Amino acid sequence: MGAGPVDEEVAAGVRMGTRTEYQELIDEVCALLGTPATLEGRDFGLIAFGAHDSEDDRVMDPVRTRSILNRRSTPAVREWFESFGIATARAPVRIPPEPTAGVLTGRICLPVRHGAVVYGYIWLLDDGAVTLDDPRLAAAMATAERIGTLLAKEARAGARLGELLRSALTEGGPGATDELAAGLGTGAEAALTVVAVAPWRAADDVPAAPPGALALCAVGGDPGALAALVRPGAAIGVAERLRGRGTAGVGGARRGVRELADAWREALAAGRAARAERRFGPVARWEDLGPFRLLTALPGGEPDPAVGPLLGPEHRELARTAEAFLDLAGQATRTAEALGIHRQTLYYRLSRIEHLTGLDLDDGEDRLLLHMSLKRARL
């Protein structure tokens, strides 16, 4: 792609390295105004917060508590705060309390800007003692500007790493991976893996990278997906933060960047399995998939002609019966109990399945074909 390496301080995890700077600056704001302050990114992800020694419950109202414990505000809270124009504000914004939204104490929002872009927000608990023309707020806005400069630099470097990651995952080859390795610096030879969150429209905004994510990018396709480059130990935590209400997959660990395209395919496959099989949970790891590692590698297309008739919506109950029977190793009593039906009802359904498909459920290969086809159909 012809670009040089990303800033060295960003390489190998700048987001974790600069957290100390952000904490020092937010502590500076707390000391300046004598009130607890919280710094969040423009996606309302928590970056830093000031300590407090107040026994007043309003200081830790539900919104602030959730933000600190979950490191993110809910979409409803975000929408409510944004309704006051904070995303375009250039000066402090006073926001009144709203108990029904969990905001027991009002806020003063200091937009964290760099040039024309808002990169985050400083939240001050508002007891009414500070007016918007208070000189201390002007000094706090100067600190917010310093924070904005840091966040903008981090965003530029993160965007560049994201471009390099997308190239490494989709183009492969030594050229793409060499550039990514240069961007990551000394961290490029450590253990790495990829998280896939799908579906994700490529046009959607890429969120700010949560702690533990080295780079993020959106990857087009059907469906598109969000990719996160992570250390293996941080993969589950990053996936949980990024997946929202959807599912995510985690690829196998690799040493360095050379095989990240393979880890990406594994992550996508694990995500498919998570959507198809509830038992894998909302976040599935490639190494935990068992036979689904083979099933996810099968090409798409029409189902096997013998099994195809069973997959129509009018035979949904028969398909469910066949899958339960095969999952339970053909044990009629356990299958009938699991389905909540009489054994004679089970035998009747099994005979209909054999008649519909032409398969013999006493034949091992026929059972294998039916079992694989039913699992593949849900993938």
Side-chain angles (χ1 to χ4, degrees):
M1 297 174 65
V6 177
D7 290 347
E8 207 170 306
E9 66 173 343
V10 177
V14 65
R15 287 176 174 80
M16 299 306 292
T18 57
R19 285 299 178 258
T20 300
E21 283 186 89
Y22 293 132
Q23 187 61 57
E24 290 174 352
L25 289 169
I26 207 66
D27 287 343
E28 182 179 311
V29 172
C30 292
L32 184 66
L33 293 162
T35 186
T38 303
L39 172 64
E40 294 182 338
R42 61 185 168 197
D43 64 343
F44 283 58
L46 182 68
I47 297 174
F49 63 93
H52 69 90
D53 57 5
S54 173
E55 296 182 1
D56 188 341
D57 289 341
R58 293 175 301 174
V59 171
M60 288 301 292
D61 64 9
V63 167
R64 189 168 195 262
T65 301
R66 281 195 301 269
S67 175
I68 292 173
L69 294 181
N70 300 331
R71 305 195 70 83
R72 186 172 301 278
S73 296
T74 66
V77 168
R78 172 177 177 169
E79 182 178 351
W80 188 75
F81 280 130
E82 286 180 338
S83 70
F84 290 87
I86 61 174
T88 57
R90 293 181 174 274
V93 178
R94 173 165 268 130
I95 300 175
E98 178 53 61
T100 60
V103 183
L104 304 183
T105 302
R107 303 290 201 274
I108 293 178
C109 175
L110 308 184
V112 176
R113 306 180 65 91
H114 182 74
V117 180
V118 170
Y119 284 94
Y121 308 102
I122 294 174
W123 299 99
L124 309 172
L125 295 175
D126 179 22
D127 59 4
V130 177
T131 60
L132 294 186
D133 59 356
D134 190 308
R136 292 176 299 168
L137 276 185
M141 284 296 293
T143 302
E145 186 175 342
R146 290 159 59 196
I147 294 173
T149 299
L150 289 174
L151 287 174
K153 185 177 182 180
E154 183 176 321
R156 287 194 299 270
R160 179 62 183 144
L161 274 179
E163 293 173 5
L164 296 175
L165 175 61
R166 184 187 299 107
S167 296
L169 299 183
T170 59
E171 299 172 13
T177 54
D178 285 351
E179 286 196 81
L180 178 61
L184 292 171
T186 57
E189 296 305 316
L192 297 167
T193 191
V194 185
V195 170
V197 179
W200 190 281
R201 293 183 304 169
D204 284 350
D205 288 337
V206 175
L214 303 179
L216 295 181
C217 67
V219 180
D222 187 18
L226 179 72
L229 179 65
V230 297
R231 306 291 185 215
I236 298 299
V238 170
E240 287 288 0
R241 291 187 184 282
L242 291 174
R243 70 177 182 84
R245 297 182 181 180
T247 57
V250 179
R254 298 297 195 278
R255 178 63 61 175
V257 299
R258 294 292 184 182
E259 299 177 359
L260 285 181
D262 292 333
W264 174 238
R265 286 189 287 271
E266 294 170 357
L268 289 171
R272 288 174 60 203
R275 291 190 292 279
E277 282 282 337
R278 189 174 300 177
R279 64 189 173 89
F280 288 128
V283 177
R285 301 190 309 167
W286 170 254
E287 57 262 38
D288 296 336
L289 299 187
F292 277 84
R293 289 196 293 270
L294 292 176
L295 290 169
T296 56
L298 295 175
E302 294 297 318
D304 183 85
V307 183
L310 185 62
L311 299 178
E314 69 277 15
H315 297 306
R316 187 175 290 110
E317 196 61 44
L318 289 181
R320 176 170 169 262
T321 298
E323 189 169 1
F325 179 70
L326 295 167
D327 283 346
L328 295 171
Q331 298 180 44
T333 299
R334 290 181 63 200
T335 304
E337 290 176 352
L339 295 173
I341 59 177
H342 195 276
R343 283 184 60 176
Q344 288 304 121
T345 302
L346 173 65
Y347 292 138
Y348 170 71
R349 290 184 184 179
L350 294 177
S351 68
R352 286 190 62 199
I353 291 165
E354 289 184 319
H355 176 75
L356 192 64
T357 62
L359 299 175
D360 180 0
L361 291 180
D362 288 330
D363 182 276
E365 289 191 357
D366 282 3
R367 287 160 73 129
L368 177 61
L369 172 61
L370 179 58
H371 208 180
M372 290 180 65
S373 297
L374 291 168
K375 297 294 187 187
R376 176 179 173 274
R378 288 196 287 107
L379 283 170

